[in-house]
Amino acid sequence: MIILERIYEVDFCDTSYGFRPKRSCHMALAELGKIIATKKVNWISDADIKGFFDNVSHEKRGELLRQCIGDPRMLQLIERFLQAGVMIEGRRHETDDGVPQGSVLSPLFLGFTHYCGQSRANRFKLKRRTAKKKLKAKLQDMKDWLRSRLIVPLREVWPLVNAKLTGHFQYYNVNDNWPSLEKYRRLVSRLCFRWLRRRSQKGKTLSWSDYYQLLSAHPLATPGRITDLIAMAK
């Protein structure tokens, strides 16, 4: 990736933030907020190409890579990575088109809904909350993940649940998004309760009171320090 950065970094616009050294999605959000708050903005265009990364042509991609990369070993390594296939329900499937998402070569999406609000001083303020579509997808992923671990010991599952919560909070814990974080944590807690009740006949008798006692001994992760996008933009 370091070699590819040196090759392609000179071609990026200054307003591009994804997969660039010393840049992040939080910095992109901060810059967007700064522009909206300090400049005259009449409209914003939010564009995306549906299914783009699922349908990238391997042939065309190879042609574009060869325009800037002359080392055949590097090209071969990239091709092997992009054609590694995907795992679905424990089985490997070939990928004739597209880019494996979630890898170092997949894009970063912001995942926020932006809306107009007011600061404590009653001044205009751009606010953000976790996009409904993204929140729904995250909850479904958690539900599916728990369902696939019905017979895995609790002592192994609980730390992983907290790791997933922490990862979510680290990205989405920005100014004004606390209610969405609390909602996600509350709904994950409910999913965990249902998961515990489905594990065995004994689990079916688990009450909310019993569950709260378990949470007292093994609490779920909570949002930590927010990423202050306002301070980042200054």
Side-chain angles (χ1 to χ4, degrees):
M1 287 302 296
I2 295 176
I3 296 174
L4 293 179
E5 282 178 0
R6 293 181 177 179
I7 294 173
Y8 288 103
E9 179 63 20
V10 294
D11 295 328
F12 281 107
C13 298
D14 189 55
T15 52
S16 178
Y17 286 83
F19 285 103
R20 296 187 64 189
K22 298 181 180 180
R23 297 202 177 199
S24 68
C25 284
H26 286 147
M27 294 174 67
L29 287 168
E31 183 64 20
L32 175 64
K34 179 181 178 181
I35 292 172
I36 293 175
T38 61
K39 297 183 179 181
K40 184 178 180 180
V41 178
N42 294 321
W43 55 271
I44 298 174
S45 176
D46 181 13
D48 188 18
I49 302 176
K50 183 178 181 181
F52 174 78
F53 287 92
D54 296 327
N55 299 284
V56 173
S57 168
H58 288 188
E59 181 180 356
K60 293 294 183 182
R61 185 201 59 235
E63 292 177 3
L64 292 172
L65 288 172
R66 285 190 289 273
Q67 291 180 14
C68 298
I69 303 173
D71 187 341
R73 293 171 299 178
M74 175 63 71
L75 290 168
Q76 184 181 25
L77 180 62
I78 295 173
E79 288 297 322
R80 289 178 62 185
F81 184 89
L82 294 174
Q83 296 181 13
V86 295
M87 295 294 292
I88 301 176
E89 296 182 354
R91 299 183 63 182
R92 181 180 177 275
H93 294 258
E94 297 288 344
T95 50
D96 297 323
D97 291 298
V99 175
Q101 298 204 41
S103 68
V104 294
L105 295 182
S106 66
L108 293 178
F109 296 103
L110 300 183
F112 288 95
T113 294
H114 301 73
Y115 63 99
C116 298
Q118 287 185 324
S119 67
R120 294 179 181 178
N122 293 323
R123 300 180 62 182
F124 169 81
K125 182 181 182 183
L126 178 67
K127 295 187 175 183
R128 303 169 180 87
R129 57 174 173 262
T130 308
K132 290 182 180 180
K133 183 178 179 180
K134 182 63 68 173
L135 181 62
K136 182 179 180 180
K138 285 279 189 176
L139 289 169
Q140 186 62 49
D141 288 345
M142 181 67 78
K143 181 179 180 180
D144 294 341
W145 183 81
L146 287 169
R147 186 179 296 170
S148 69
R149 285 160 176 77
L150 287 172
I151 61 174
V152 179
L154 177 64
R155 64 178 180 275
E156 296 181 18
V157 173
W158 216 249
L160 295 176
V161 170
N162 276 329
K164 289 177 176 291
L165 279 170
T166 299
H168 182 88
F169 295 151
Q170 285 177 343
Y171 181 72
Y172 287 100
N173 193 6
V174 300
N175 313 66
D176 306 304
N177 197 36
W178 185 267
S180 293
L181 300 182
E182 282 296 299
K183 179 179 180 180
Y184 180 70
R185 184 177 185 272
R186 183 177 68 255
L187 293 177
V188 167
S189 178
R190 191 175 299 174
L191 288 174
C192 289
F193 174 71
R194 294 175 180 174
W195 172 76
L196 287 168
R197 286 176 61 89
R198 292 172 179 169
R199 284 167 58 84
S200 65
Q201 290 294 327
K202 183 178 179 181
K204 291 181 180 180
T205 63
L206 181 73
S207 66
W208 279 104
S209 178
D210 296 331
Y211 181 56
Y212 290 143
Q213 289 184 10
L214 185 149
L215 289 179
S216 296
H218 306 283
L220 290 174
T222 57
R225 184 178 179 181
I226 72 166
T227 300
D228 192 342
L229 300 179
I230 298 175
M232 189 180 293
K234 294 180 178 179

